[in-house]
Short mmCIF file of all heavy atoms in Angstrom, two decimals:
data_model
loop_
_atom_site.label_atom_id
_atom_site.label_comp_id
_atom_site.label_asym_id
_atom_site.label_seq_id
_atom_site.Cartn_x
_atom_site.Cartn_y
_atom_site.Cartn_z
N VAL B 113 -22.47 83.38 179.55
CA VAL B 113 -23.45 82.82 178.64
C VAL B 113 -24.20 81.69 179.33
O VAL B 113 -25.42 81.59 179.24
CB VAL B 113 -22.75 82.34 177.36
CG1 VAL B 113 -23.74 81.58 176.49
CG2 VAL B 113 -22.17 83.52 176.61
N GLN B 114 -23.44 80.87 180.04
CA GLN B 114 -24.08 79.77 180.76
C GLN B 114 -25.13 80.30 181.73
O GLN B 114 -26.25 79.82 181.77
CB GLN B 114 -23.02 79.00 181.55
CG GLN B 114 -22.51 77.78 180.81
CD GLN B 114 -21.54 77.02 181.66
OE1 GLN B 114 -21.43 77.26 182.87
NE2 GLN B 114 -20.84 76.09 181.03
N VAL B 115 -24.71 81.27 182.47
CA VAL B 115 -25.61 81.80 183.48
C VAL B 115 -26.89 82.31 182.84
O VAL B 115 -27.99 82.04 183.30
CB VAL B 115 -24.92 82.93 184.27
CG1 VAL B 115 -25.91 83.59 185.21
CG2 VAL B 115 -23.75 82.36 185.05
N SER B 116 -26.71 83.03 181.75
CA SER B 116 -27.90 83.61 181.13
C SER B 116 -28.78 82.51 180.53
O SER B 116 -29.98 82.66 180.45
CB SER B 116 -27.51 84.63 180.08
OG SER B 116 -26.79 83.98 179.06
N GLN B 117 -28.14 81.42 180.13
CA GLN B 117 -28.96 80.33 179.59
C GLN B 117 -29.76 79.66 180.69
O GLN B 117 -30.85 79.17 180.46
CB GLN B 117 -28.06 79.31 178.89
CG GLN B 117 -27.74 79.72 177.46
CD GLN B 117 -26.63 78.89 176.89
OE1 GLN B 117 -26.02 78.10 177.58
NE2 GLN B 117 -26.37 79.08 175.61
N ASN B 118 -29.21 79.65 181.85
CA ASN B 118 -29.92 78.99 182.95
C ASN B 118 -31.10 79.79 183.45
O ASN B 118 -31.73 79.38 184.41
CB ASN B 118 -28.95 78.78 184.13
CG ASN B 118 -28.00 77.66 183.84
OD1 ASN B 118 -28.12 77.00 182.83
ND2 ASN B 118 -27.06 77.47 184.72
N ARG B 119 -31.37 80.88 182.80
CA ARG B 119 -32.40 81.80 183.28
C ARG B 119 -32.12 82.13 184.74
O ARG B 119 -32.77 81.63 185.66
CB ARG B 119 -33.82 81.19 183.16
CG ARG B 119 -34.45 81.29 181.81
CD ARG B 119 -34.27 82.61 181.12
NE ARG B 119 -34.81 83.74 181.87
CZ ARG B 119 -34.26 84.95 181.83
NH1 ARG B 119 -33.21 85.19 181.12
NH2 ARG B 119 -34.81 85.93 182.50
N ILE B 120 -31.15 82.98 184.88
CA ILE B 120 -30.62 83.30 186.19
C ILE B 120 -31.69 83.61 187.22
O ILE B 120 -32.69 84.25 186.92
CB ILE B 120 -29.68 84.53 186.10
CG1 ILE B 120 -30.08 85.34 184.88
CG2 ILE B 120 -28.26 84.10 186.09
CD1 ILE B 120 -29.46 86.69 184.86
N ARG B 121 -31.40 83.21 188.41
CA ARG B 121 -32.28 83.60 189.50
C ARG B 121 -31.85 85.00 189.90
O ARG B 121 -30.76 85.20 190.39
CB ARG B 121 -32.09 82.66 190.69
CG ARG B 121 -32.35 81.23 190.35
CD ARG B 121 -32.18 80.40 191.59
NE ARG B 121 -32.99 80.93 192.67
CZ ARG B 121 -32.50 81.16 193.87
NH1 ARG B 121 -31.25 80.94 194.12
NH2 ARG B 121 -33.29 81.62 194.82
N CYS B 122 -32.75 85.92 189.63
CA CYS B 122 -32.37 87.30 189.86
C CYS B 122 -32.53 87.65 191.31
O CYS B 122 -33.54 88.20 191.73
CB CYS B 122 -33.20 88.24 189.01
SG CYS B 122 -32.86 87.99 187.30
N SER B 123 -31.58 87.31 192.09
CA SER B 123 -31.67 87.68 193.49
C SER B 123 -30.30 88.09 193.97
O SER B 123 -29.30 87.93 193.28
CB SER B 123 -32.20 86.53 194.33
OG SER B 123 -31.31 85.47 194.21
N MET B 124 -30.30 88.63 195.14
CA MET B 124 -29.05 89.17 195.67
C MET B 124 -28.00 88.10 195.85
O MET B 124 -26.85 88.32 195.49
CB MET B 124 -29.37 89.85 197.00
CG MET B 124 -28.74 91.19 197.16
SD MET B 124 -29.00 92.26 195.75
CE MET B 124 -28.01 93.63 196.28
N PRO B 125 -28.33 86.92 196.41
CA PRO B 125 -27.26 85.93 196.61
C PRO B 125 -26.54 85.58 195.31
O PRO B 125 -25.32 85.45 195.31
CB PRO B 125 -28.01 84.73 197.17
CG PRO B 125 -29.21 85.28 197.77
CD PRO B 125 -29.58 86.47 196.99
N SER B 126 -27.31 85.46 194.24
CA SER B 126 -26.62 85.10 193.00
C SER B 126 -25.72 86.24 192.55
O SER B 126 -24.63 86.03 192.02
CB SER B 126 -27.63 84.74 191.92
OG SER B 126 -28.65 85.68 191.86
N LEU B 127 -26.19 87.45 192.81
CA LEU B 127 -25.35 88.60 192.46
C LEU B 127 -24.07 88.58 193.28
O LEU B 127 -22.97 88.80 192.77
CB LEU B 127 -26.13 89.88 192.73
CG LEU B 127 -25.54 91.16 192.18
CD1 LEU B 127 -25.48 91.08 190.68
CD2 LEU B 127 -26.37 92.34 192.61
N ILE B 128 -24.24 88.25 194.55
CA ILE B 128 -23.07 88.24 195.43
C ILE B 128 -22.10 87.16 195.01
O ILE B 128 -20.89 87.38 194.92
CB ILE B 128 -23.52 88.03 196.89
CG1 ILE B 128 -24.20 89.29 197.39
CG2 ILE B 128 -22.33 87.70 197.77
CD1 ILE B 128 -24.96 89.09 198.64
#
Side-chain angles (χ1 to χ4, degrees):
Chain B
V113 172
Q114 264 184 13
V115 173
S116 63
Q117 277 167 354
N118 285 355
R119 278 318 301 147
I120 24 167
R121 302 182 53 230
C122 294
S123 61
M124 225 50 185
S126 47
L127 192 62
I128 288 165

